[in-house]
Amino acid sequence: MDHLSSLFSHFTPTASVFFTGNLLESSSFAANARHGHLHVLRAGAVQLITSTGTSTTYDQPCLLLNARPMDHRLQPVQGSGTDLVCAAIDLGSELNNPLIVALPPTLHIEMAALPRLASTLQMLFEEAEQPDSGQQAAMDRLTEYLLVLLLRHIIATGGLHAGILAGLSDERLHKPIKAMHDRPDYPWTLEELAQLAALSRARFASRFKDKTGMTPLNYLTHWRIGVACSLLLKGRRIERIAEAVGYGSQSAFTRVFTRHIGIPPQEWLARKRDATDQ
């Protein structure tokens, strides 16, 4: 079953590689950059230091994913020949994407645990080493594909124990979650979602909350508002968006959006456009 296409139809992963090679000095990354980061440690060792001063050393080839903006610093370990590929990534951190809250601040996965990613990583490294026409575009697209493969790996292995990816990994919960993703316009009830999970209402609600940290209907609202944010940025009219995400009127949609985001949809969109123009 395809767990991710409905997510990606509204929150398409994007990446922009900005560093390849040997890291010679400390490099800082700011949380106000409005994007996350993917650091691929190919060889050597590096320290990741957070804004609180917490320091973790990684000395095996690995991927370090900061899905949302986070103040941090990379410090090469002297004499290790720290070889890195670094990319700015966007998984929809400003669009209410449930993937963002499902992922830890820093996700660390060693390459040895990712055999299916080996060929993609090798192509990325080859592009980084051999400048050629379209190199930047090739590295960016390979990194975006790498993100998809990484999320597939997390779902397939049950690598996270909480959040929406944990729910998608669950044999009973993945069907109702996918149904909500596919049909945000449908007036889902707890009974219908429980039937898809082949569980009683009580057991379904309890299992969903334990796995994702949210009630089923709260998650549905969260998903609908995320889809609405995506559609707003695509220029859809608010009355059409209200219908697309399951609200009977523009006023009902605006009330829920304002309660969830803190400001009305028109104001939210204006702020996003102003931020983009700066």
Side-chain angles (χ1 to χ4, degrees), residues 55-77:
S55 175
T56 306
T57 299
Y58 301 97
D59 59 5
Q60 297 296 320
C62 64
L63 282 73
L64 302 173
L65 175 64
N66 305 124
R68 48 191 175 274
M70 183 183 85
D71 283 324
H72 66 287
R73 181 162 51 92
L74 293 182
Q75 175 71 51
V77 175

Side-chain angles (χ1 to χ4, degrees), residues 52-217:
T52 62
T54 302
S55 175
T56 306
T57 299
Y58 301 97
D59 59 5
Q60 297 296 320
C62 64
L63 282 73
L64 302 173
L65 175 64
N66 305 124
R68 48 191 175 274
M70 183 183 85
D71 283 324
H72 66 287
R73 181 162 51 92
L74 293 182
Q75 175 71 51
V77 175
Q78 293 298 322
S80 71
T82 304
D83 192 1
L84 286 165
V85 175
C86 299
I89 63 161
D90 185 2
L91 294 175
S93 61
E94 296 191 311
L95 298 180
N96 220 46
N97 185 353
L99 274 179
I100 300 300
V101 296
L103 293 165
T106 299
L107 178 65
H108 163 241
I109 300 182
E110 293 191 1
M111 289 186 197
L114 302 169
R116 289 189 61 189
L117 276 65
S119 60
T120 305
L121 286 165
Q122 186 58 39
M123 286 190 288
L124 178 61
F125 297 147
E126 289 175 358
E127 283 291 339
E129 292 172 349
Q130 301 172 9
D132 205 341
S133 300
Q135 180 192 36
Q136 184 66 52
M139 289 192 299
D140 292 348
R141 300 296 84 76
L142 283 167
T143 304
E144 290 164 0
Y145 181 50
L146 193 63
L147 288 170
V148 175
L149 294 179
L150 184 58
L151 293 171
R152 281 182 186 171
H153 169 80
I154 293 169
I155 292 173
T157 60
L160 294 178
H161 302 295
I164 197 58
L165 291 177
L168 286 170
S169 300
D170 187 282
E171 62 180 3
R172 292 295 183 92
L173 299 183
H174 67 83
K175 286 185 179 180
I177 292 173
K178 186 176 185 300
M180 288 187 275
H181 288 174
D182 289 342
R183 293 286 311 278
D185 60 323
Y186 185 78
W188 293 106
T189 65
L190 188 61
E191 289 85 354
E192 289 171 313
L193 295 169
Q195 286 175 5
L196 290 173
L199 293 169
S200 68
R201 285 199 316 166
R203 291 186 64 191
F204 168 66
S206 176
R207 187 163 175 158
F208 195 101
K209 181 73 178 295
D210 288 344
K211 281 287 185 179
T212 70
M214 305 175 72
T215 68
L217 296 184

